[in-house]
C-alpha cells in the first residue's frame, strides 16, 4: 500500500460541490486586431448553506477555471436556510437583472433555470420557487441570486424586525401542520 497523504487543499476540494455556469470567449480590441481570452463563471458550495461565486479570466480555459475556483472559495457566504427551503421571500438586483426567490413546500424541487439553479443547488436549497425578471445576462443573474441569498435573515431576526412572533412568519404549510 502507498502511504499517500491528502493535502489540506485536496480535502477542501472533496467537500465542495463545484459547477461551471458559463465559459465565454471575450475579446479586447487592440492595434492590429483582437485579443481573445476566456472568462469562466463558476459556483462552489457545500450543499449546506455555504456558497460562493467566482469569475476567472485567462488566455486558456484551465487557467481561467483555476482562478474562478480560487475566487469562489474566497468569496464563500453563509446563508440562512429553513429546512430544505429559504426562510422568507427575497429579491436581488444587479444591473438589469432582477431575481425573486420564494420559499416552497417540501417536495417542490428547485424551480429555476441556468445560473440561478446552479447557485441554489450548491447552496443546499432543495425546494424553492424563483423568477428571473429583466436582463438574462448570466453574470448579472448569478450575482443577483447571490445578493438575494445574502439578504436572507433568520426567522427570529425577521420576526423581531417586523414586530411579529416567529409562528406568524412560518411558511403556510408549517402553520397548517400546527393548526391541524
Amino acid at each position: 500500500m502507498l502511504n499517500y497523504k491528502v493535502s489540506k487543499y485536496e480535502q477542501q476540494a472533496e467537500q465542495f460541490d463545484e459547477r461551471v455556469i458559463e465559459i465565454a470567449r471575450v475579446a479586447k480590441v487592440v492595434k492590429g486586431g483582437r485579443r481573445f481570452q476566456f472568462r469562466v463563471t463558476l459556483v462552489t458550495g457545500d450543499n449546506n448553506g455555504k456558497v460562493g461565486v467566482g469569475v476567472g479570466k485567462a488566455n486558456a480555459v484551465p487557467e481561467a477555471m483555476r482562478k474562478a475556483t480560487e475566487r469562489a472559495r474566497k468569496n464563500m457566504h453563509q446563508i440562512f436556510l429553513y429546512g430544505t427551503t429559504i426562510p422568507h421571500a427575497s429579491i436581488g438586483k444587479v444591473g438589469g437583472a432582477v431575481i425573486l426567490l420564494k420559499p416552497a413546500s417540501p417536495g417542490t424541487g428547485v424551480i429555476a433555470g441556468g445560473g440561478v439553479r446552479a447557485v441554489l443547488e450548491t447552496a443546499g436549497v432543495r425546494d424553492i420557487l424563483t423568477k428571473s425578471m429583466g436582463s438574462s445576462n448570466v453574470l448579472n443573474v448569478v450575482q443577483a441570486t447571490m445578493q438575494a441569498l445574502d439578504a436572507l435573515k433568520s426567522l427570529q431576526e425577521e420576526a423581531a424586525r417586523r414586530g411579529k412572533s416567529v409562528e406568524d412568519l412560518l411558511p403556510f404549510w408549517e402553520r397548517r401542520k400546527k393548526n391541524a
Side-chain angles (χ1 to χ4, degrees):
M1 283 308 269
L2 291 171
N3 283 338
Y4 178 69
K5 274 192 168 179
V6 180
S7 71
K8 187 178 175 184
Y9 181 75
E10 287 171 346
Q11 284 176 345
Q12 283 182 340
E14 289 171 10
Q15 65 186 349
F16 288 124
D17 182 14
E18 218 170 75
R19 297 191 191 190
V20 176
I21 295 170
E22 178 189 42
I23 298 176
R25 190 178 79 162
V26 294
K28 174 183 177 183
V29 180
V30 294
K31 182 179 167 185
R34 296 185 188 101
R35 284 255 166 90
F36 292 105
Q37 284 191 316
F38 294 94
R39 183 187 70 209
V40 175
T41 308
L42 65 78
V43 64
T44 303
D46 67 352
N47 294 319
N48 201 19
K50 219 172 178 192
V51 66
V53 172
V55 179
K57 204 193 300 187
N59 292 328
V61 174
E63 183 65 14
M65 296 261 295
R66 185 190 61 75
K67 287 180 179 180
T69 303
E70 281 178 15
R71 290 186 182 128
R73 295 218 173 132
K74 216 179 274 185
N75 297 330
M76 293 286 253
H77 297 269
Q78 185 68 42
I79 63 165
F80 288 104
L81 295 176
Y82 179 76
T84 59
T85 188
I86 56 176
H88 56 86
S90 180
I91 295 177
K93 296 177 187 176
V94 172
V98 180
I99 299 293
L100 169 66
L101 304 178
K102 288 176 78 174
S105 56
T108 304
V110 178
I111 310 298
V116 179
R117 173 179 286 271
V119 171
L120 294 171
E121 285 180 349
T122 55
V125 179
R126 297 284 164 257
D127 301 301
I128 193 166
L129 303 169
T130 67
K131 180 65 185 168
S132 177
M133 300 171 279
S135 171
S136 60
N137 178 312
V138 177
L139 203 51
N140 286 349
V141 165
V142 168
Q143 288 175 342
T145 305
M146 284 300 293
Q147 189 183 73
L149 289 174
D150 285 339
L152 293 174
K153 296 176 177 68
S154 68
L155 277 177
Q156 293 78 12
E157 198 177 325
E158 189 66 10
R161 188 181 73 80
R162 294 188 196 178
K164 295 185 174 187
S165 69
V166 175
E167 286 74 33
D168 290 342
L169 291 184
L170 288 177
F172 70 90
W173 59 90
E174 292 292 329
R175 291 193 302 264
R176 261 193 216 149
K177 282 181 194 174
K178 291 188 180 197
N179 293 338

